[in-house]
Amino acid sequence: MEALQKELDRLNRTPGLSATVDKVDKIIEMLTSVKDQIVQSGMDTHVASMSITRTQNPIKSTFEKINDDLKGVTATQRKLGKMLDKHFPLKDLPSEHDAMADQEPLINRAISMHLLREGQFSVASTFIEETGDAATLDNVNAVIEGQDQVSASDNYDDEPMDEDRDDDDDDDDDEDEYMSPLEGIASLGFRQLQNLSSLQSHELEAKFSQMYTILQDIKSRNLLSAIEWARSNSVELEARGSNLEFELSRLQYVWLFKGPSVNGLPDNELNGTAGALLYAQQNFWRFGNRYIGEIQQLANAQIYARNLAESPYRHIFSAETAFADVASSFTREFCSLLGLSAESPLYIAVTAGALALPLLIKYQQATRAKGTEWTTTNELAFETPLPERMLYHSIFVCPVSKEQTTESNPPMMIPCGHVLAKETLQRLLKGTRFKCPYCPAEGLEKDARRIMI
């Protein structure tokens, strides 16, 4: 891997081809000049011969320089390609059946959404145009303009707005719901998973562009745009139980408290400890009911302003990772309001697949060598070692059978409070009654309840 990293570093150090492009432009200019001279001379053969002769050597030398530039870049790329082939040789996938072969619309949608999330709007637009179905694009554009009404059935039973109206042109008795442009985009863009054209909207691009602009401000230690966004969406954030608005306001207080020598803001009454106190008086009243304890700590820290490092509140004013943490929280909440996960599903799937694939290949090779085969289609033969941040669902292993529960074999709680797998419970039955394997309690099959983990 060190050799691979060395070649990658060498490629990164390779000069760009902007100078080469300038040389190509220079050749075009020389050829254009020769053409103009010949035309102005009335197609005189003597003038044409002289003009071509004068430019022959400059053009030839420029071409040689262009080839030299391209040879250097090509050689570096070729070496890197060989190193990649050496360290990552092509191997057959560990399954003859492609589980995603019939899920092309979902794959295209995941790619499109990833491009949008990464701010690659022009690339995403081109990808959608080349792979998407534009049949419902007009409907999406109408939603963006706030002029369309999307029925509840088309929006997968989204929460209704305050205003409903009947569609006079509809023969059915179903009521259509009026949706705001943002809700329409969220509904069409994120819930109709196979409608790729719904992603092709300037409104959706504008939302992600706004997110990246605010994230850039946070990176620059400017929280005002993020606080304004959180305040404008405070109702939705409050309903989710989010504390983002307070976290942003608290960090703004801490940043002002540190003063101009740290935050680089103007040295006036709006900065320093006095500025932080003024900011708290103007803004913290909004959070008094939920965060009174935290607010009191921030206010008490004013007493230790001259010796904050030795105060009991020093941990609150540590801003080493505070901006990165609040940026992560902002991204998570912003995406949540649009019905998205905090991280790109495509990135998560590819990363998890890259971690699991070597084990799958190794397992396949071992089973083929022994002439055996794993026959359970809905689960793997071993546990994939994924990082904790990629574990989204809790699991339960039956303490009796030592088997992990599944959808067809769910965990069941019996009256005494112990939990067993459904198949284990059925094996314990004697008629309709059973005895708990962990305590003297007995119960009836009908009293067992399935639990959701």
Side-chain angles (χ1 to χ4, degrees):
M1 294 302 292
E2 292 182 1
L4 180 61
Q5 184 63 46
K6 183 178 179 181
E7 292 297 332
L8 183 60
D9 293 339
R10 181 179 300 174
L11 180 62
N12 291 332
R13 292 193 301 269
T14 302
L17 294 177
S18 57
T20 306
V21 174
D22 293 338
K23 295 172 185 175
V24 174
D25 292 338
K26 183 179 179 181
I27 291 177
I28 294 174
E29 290 176 1
M30 288 189 289
L31 293 174
T32 303
S33 176
V34 171
K35 176 185 174 183
D36 293 340
Q37 292 176 12
I38 295 174
V39 172
Q40 291 175 2
S41 68
M43 306 299 290
D44 188 295
T45 56
H46 178 70
V47 174
S49 177
M50 292 296 294
S51 299
I52 294 175
T53 302
R54 281 195 303 267
T55 57
Q56 183 176 1
N57 289 334
I59 290 177
K60 182 179 179 180
S61 63
T62 306
F63 261 122
E64 291 175 352
K65 293 178 181 178
I66 292 174
N67 289 331
D68 291 339
D69 294 342
L70 295 177
K71 285 179 181 178
V73 175
T74 303
T76 305
Q77 291 178 337
R78 189 182 297 112
K79 289 180 180 178
L80 179 62
K82 291 181 179 179
M83 295 301 297
L84 288 172
D85 293 338
K86 178 180 178 180
H87 287 83
F88 304 103
L90 293 177
K91 296 181 179 180
D92 295 333
L93 292 176
S95 174
E96 297 179 357
H97 171 66
D98 187 357
M100 300 299 293
D102 57 346
Q103 301 293 337
E104 183 177 350
L106 292 179
I107 296 174
N108 290 339
R109 184 176 183 82
I111 296 173
S112 303
M113 183 58 65
H114 179 77
L115 293 172
L116 287 173
R117 296 174 68 116
E118 294 298 314
Q120 302 293 333
F121 303 128
S122 60
V123 180
S125 178
T126 301
F127 180 82
I128 292 171
E129 289 177 357
E130 294 183 357
T131 61
D133 176 15
T136 58
L137 183 56
D138 293 338
N139 185 32
V140 175
N141 290 333
V143 172
I144 298 168
E145 298 170 0
Q147 298 175 351
D148 192 30
Q149 297 181 13
V150 184
S151 65
S153 61
D154 288 338
N155 289 282
Y156 293 83
D157 297 328
D158 283 351
E159 293 183 5
M161 299 291 290
D162 293 334
E163 292 187 30
D164 292 337
R165 70 173 181 84
D166 293 331
D167 189 350
D168 296 333
D169 296 332
D170 195 351
D171 295 332
D172 298 329
D173 294 330
D174 296 339
E175 293 185 351
D176 291 340
E177 298 176 354
Y178 174 78
M179 305 190 73
S180 68
L182 176 58
E183 290 172 323
I185 289 302
S187 176
L188 287 174
F190 302 109
R191 298 190 184 278
Q192 295 180 349
L193 293 180
Q194 296 191 9
N195 184 7
L196 192 62
S197 62
S198 63
L199 295 177
Q200 194 177 31
S201 69
H202 296 294
E203 180 74 13
L204 190 57
E205 291 183 9
K207 290 299 175 184
F208 282 109
S209 179
Q210 179 189 23
M211 184 182 76
Y212 280 104
T213 300
I214 296 176
L215 286 175
Q216 187 61 38
D217 289 344
I218 295 176
K219 185 178 180 180
S220 302
R221 304 296 193 265
N222 181 2
L223 299 172
L224 298 181
S225 59
I227 293 173
E228 181 181 357
W229 179 87
R231 191 161 297 169
S232 63
N233 294 276
S234 59
V235 176
E236 292 84 353
L237 293 173
E238 187 77 16
R240 285 177 43 80
S242 171
N243 63 345
L244 177 64
E245 185 180 0
F246 176 72
E247 291 295 328
L248 289 167
S249 298
R250 179 172 64 179
L251 183 56
Q252 179 69 4
Y253 175 92
V254 170
W255 195 235
L256 292 173
F257 189 95
K258 290 181 176 295
S261 62
V262 176
N263 58 37
L265 298 176
D267 187 3
N268 53 33
E269 68 278 1
L270 300 179
N271 200 359
T273 55
L277 185 59
L278 178 62
Y279 179 82
Q281 292 172 345
Q282 294 175 346
N283 296 276
F284 281 179
W285 62 269
R286 300 164 53 86
F287 314 108
N289 293 334
R290 292 183 59 186
Y291 304 103
I292 187 63
E294 291 87 341
I295 294 174
Q296 288 174 344
Q297 290 180 350
L298 293 172
N300 292 339
Q302 292 277 345
I303 304 173
Y304 298 90
R306 295 182 180 276
N307 192 23
L308 188 62
E310 303 297 330
S311 74
Y313 307 109
R314 59 184 179 275
H315 64 284
I316 302 176
F317 289 81
S318 176
E320 294 179 359
T321 62
F323 284 93
D325 294 340
V326 82
S328 178
S329 298
F330 168 78
T331 302
R332 181 174 60 254
E333 297 299 341
F334 191 100
C335 293
S336 296
L337 292 188
L338 291 177
L340 295 171
S341 60
E343 293 186 277
S344 168
L346 181 62
Y347 169 79
I348 295 296
V350 171
T351 303
L355 294 173
L357 198 56
L359 293 177
L360 288 172
I361 294 175
K362 184 177 180 180
Y363 173 78
Q364 182 194 44
Q365 294 172 345
T367 53
R368 284 181 177 178
K370 295 180 179 180
T372 58
E373 184 178 356
W374 182 254
T375 58
T376 304
T377 59
N378 293 328
E379 59 184 80
L380 296 175
F382 52 87
E383 184 177 355
T384 304
L386 296 177
E388 186 175 351
R389 63 186 179 85
M390 290 186 180
L391 300 179
Y392 302 101
H393 304 284
S394 301
I395 62 173
F396 175 77
V397 176
C398 178
V400 176
S401 64
K402 310 301 181 184
E403 295 178 351
Q404 181 177 323
T405 54
T406 62
E407 185 67 24
S408 59
N409 182 29
M412 306 291 291
M413 178 178 287
I414 55 181
C416 61
H418 290 108
V419 180
L420 309 171
K422 183 178 181 179
E423 293 179 357
T424 300
L425 179 62
Q426 291 174 342
R427 286 195 293 268
L428 293 174
L429 286 175
K430 293 182 179 179
T432 60
R433 301 185 64 85
F434 62 87
K435 180 183 179 301
C436 176
Y438 288 97
C439 69
E442 296 185 358
L444 298 174
E445 181 184 10
K446 65 181 181 64
D447 295 330
R449 295 289 181 266
R450 176 177 178 177
I451 62 174
M452 307 299 294
I453 300 179

